[in-house]
């Protein structure tokens, strides 16, 4: 459930950026990003969500999502210097990506708790 919701959020974010850029462009402009950066950002969000939704590529998808979330967080904090609701949501999505992967992949659990 956590994985499905995370993938859905990322895919929806990418689709919004691709098909309804006028909804996202003002926020990106407020963070100092020019309009031509919207397409690559939307493709990255969509790619991360799709990779995460496919079991064989979920680990790569989690890495892409984490990088995407980290970039969004850095962009917001660079401008606002405050932790506001979008930053909290971004951190929750990034955490949910790894929590969902942890819950659905026994190899990750084994790797994390392997004896040293």
């Amino acid at each position: 459930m956590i994985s499905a919701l995370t993938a859905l959020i990322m895919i929806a974010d990418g689709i919004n950026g691709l098909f309804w850029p006028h909804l996202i462009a003002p926020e990106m402009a407020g963070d100092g990003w020019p309009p031509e950066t919207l397409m690559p950002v939307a493709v990255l969000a969509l790619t991360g969500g799709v990779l995460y939704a496919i079991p064989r590529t979920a680990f790569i998808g989690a890495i892409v999502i984490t990088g995407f979330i980290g970039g969004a967080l850095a962009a917001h904090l660079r401008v606002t210097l405050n932790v506001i609701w979008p930053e909290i949501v971004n951190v929750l999505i990034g955490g949910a990506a790894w929590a969902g992967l942890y819950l659905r992949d026994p190899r990750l659990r084994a790797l994390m708790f392997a004896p040293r």
Side-chain angles (χ1 to χ4, degrees):
M1 180 69 176
I2 294 171
S3 292
L5 186 60
T6 302
L8 183 64
I9 289 169
M10 294 303 296
I11 291 169
D13 187 35
I15 289 172
N16 280 338
L18 291 175
F19 295 107
W20 300 283
H22 63 279
L23 298 175
I24 300 171
E27 274 189 45
M28 287 186 66
D31 287 340
W33 296 100
E36 57 269 10
T37 60
L38 182 58
M39 179 70 72
V41 168
V43 169
L44 184 61
L46 185 60
T47 301
V50 169
L51 286 172
Y52 187 72
I54 300 169
R56 290 183 69 80
T57 59
F59 191 76
I60 296 169
I63 293 170
V64 171
I65 289 171
T66 304
F68 180 84
I69 295 299
L73 189 62
H76 283 286
L77 290 176
R78 179 182 59 85
V79 174
T80 65
L81 300 175
N82 293 320
V83 175
I84 57 175
W85 185 244
E87 282 78 24
I88 295 168
V89 171
N90 282 336
V91 170
L92 290 174
I93 292 169
W98 287 100
L101 191 59
Y102 175 83
L103 291 172
R104 71 178 174 161
D105 193 339
R107 296 173 301 168
L108 182 59
R109 289 192 300 273
L111 180 66
M112 290 180 67
F113 297 108
R116 295 180 192 247

